[in-house]
Amino acid sequence: MLDFVYFPVSALLWCWHQLLALAFGQATGFTWLIAVVALVVTVRALLVRTALRQARSQAVLRTLQPRIDRNRRTHKDDPLAQTTEIRRLHREHGVRLFAGFGPMIAQAFVFLGLFHVLRSFDRTGAFAVGPFTATSTPLSPEVNAATANYFFGADEVRAFLDARLFGAPLSATLFGAGASAAVFVVALVVIAALATHCTARLTPLAADNPTAAVMRTLSLWVFPAGALVSGAILPIVVLVYFATNALWTLCQQYLLRRAFVPEAAAPVAAPRRRKAG
């Protein structure tokens, strides 16, 4: 159904796995872990330019906010005139309100593709045939080990099935892993939750924007809570993706905030200037 997503994602993961296998071996858990990390870094690096455009648009929008508020007061009885004038301001200053949806959609597709490809290494269960479908005739372990998985050949499928991380299979969840692997899983989940929460705290909030306020509340508390819950049910290798993606987002938001929200440091510097005077 989503082969246009699965094949590119599996191809990129395959390339990184082949490269890393030269140094660490094909069937080691570390090789697969770093390959997933490299996949996240590659995809997010390709989206950096779009993220910069979005940050610039948001910075310009903040400078336009006084004019937008003034326009709303002037045309308070004429919603059409309000909308027309605001659109004109956005157009003249190159503001793209929906620029952020592109990276979000791309990341959603990458996660969906990676989740399916990783789960498809083991097709012996009823729910291993697609993201939203099940089968009453799963593959036997012998047939599964001899069947390719998108860009991965049968030998690479067996390498994934044989790989261990802290003694646990890469497809193991929190409750199916041993003590050492469980500690690693908990660390990944905590990293993902904390990074998600801190990213929300670094995200500038537009004034008089109820939708943005709701999204900020969700990002501060609901999404981190979701990360904690998902840690109990998602495979180890998928949690590696989650934690890496969350850390990248946090670092990127921190750098963008420093670049495009310089006024954030003003409250700290102001008292010093008054004291010196």
Side-chain angles (χ1 to χ4, degrees):
M1 180 175 65
L2 293 175
D3 284 351
F4 71 95
V5 176
Y6 302 149
F7 276 102
V9 169
S10 65
L12 185 55
L13 183 62
W14 180 87
C15 289
W16 278 114
H17 177 260
Q18 293 299 305
L19 180 63
L20 293 165
L22 297 176
F24 305 110
Q26 190 177 39
T28 63
F30 185 77
T31 299
W32 289 100
L33 184 153
I34 300 301
V36 172
V37 172
L39 171 68
V40 175
V41 171
T42 302
V43 172
R44 295 304 301 271
L46 292 174
L47 296 173
V48 162
R49 188 172 181 179
T50 303
L52 286 172
R53 286 200 299 265
Q54 180 191 8
R56 290 192 184 99
S57 291
Q58 291 175 341
V60 172
L61 188 60
R62 286 192 293 273
T63 65
L64 293 176
Q65 195 61 47
R67 296 175 62 179
I68 293 175
D69 293 339
R70 189 162 56 248
N71 166 71
R72 287 172 176 163
R73 292 192 297 268
T74 302
H75 302 286
K76 61 181 179 179
D77 298 323
D78 191 348
L80 180 60
Q82 281 188 34
T83 302
T84 302
E85 180 64 17
I86 290 173
R87 287 178 176 174
R88 183 186 65 79
L89 286 173
H90 289 172
R91 184 171 58 253
E92 288 180 354
H93 293 84
V95 174
R96 299 178 181 180
L97 294 178
F98 301 103
F101 284 99
M104 290 174 59
I105 294 172
Q107 291 177 59
F109 273 122
V110 169
F111 170 72
L112 183 62
L114 181 64
F115 181 75
H116 174 65
V117 170
L118 292 174
R119 190 172 62 168
S120 295
F121 279 106
D122 185 358
R123 290 146 292 188
T124 59
F127 295 97
V129 295
F132 311 112
T133 56
T135 179
S136 58
T137 57
L139 301 181
S140 67
E142 295 76 18
V143 173
N144 178 73
T147 304
N149 178 26
Y150 296 98
F151 261 80
F152 292 94
D155 57 334
E156 291 147 347
V157 170
R158 289 189 290 272
F160 181 91
L161 297 174
D162 293 339
R164 294 291 183 272
L165 198 62
F166 298 104
L170 298 176
S171 58
T173 60
L174 175 62
F175 299 112
S180 299
V183 171
F184 181 66
V185 168
V186 171
L188 290 175
V189 172
V190 171
I191 288 172
L194 287 178
T196 302
H197 176 80
C198 293
T199 298
R201 294 181 67 87
L202 288 173
T203 302
L205 180 63
D208 300 326
N209 191 330
T211 302
V214 171
M215 288 303 300
R216 181 181 175 86
T217 301
L218 291 174
S219 300
L220 278 170
W221 308 111
V222 178
F223 295 162
L228 292 175
V229 173
S230 67
I233 60 176
L234 289 178
I236 295 174
V237 70
V238 176
L239 289 174
V240 170
Y241 168 89
F242 256 133
T244 306
N245 194 59
L247 280 176
W248 178 285
T249 303
L250 174 60
C251 294
Q252 177 176 280
Q253 188 60 41
Y254 174 76
L255 294 174
L256 291 177
R257 182 178 175 86
R258 287 179 62 87
F260 292 102
V261 194
E263 64 270 19
V268 176
R272 296 179 180 177
R273 289 196 295 268
R274 287 196 295 268
K275 183 176 181 181

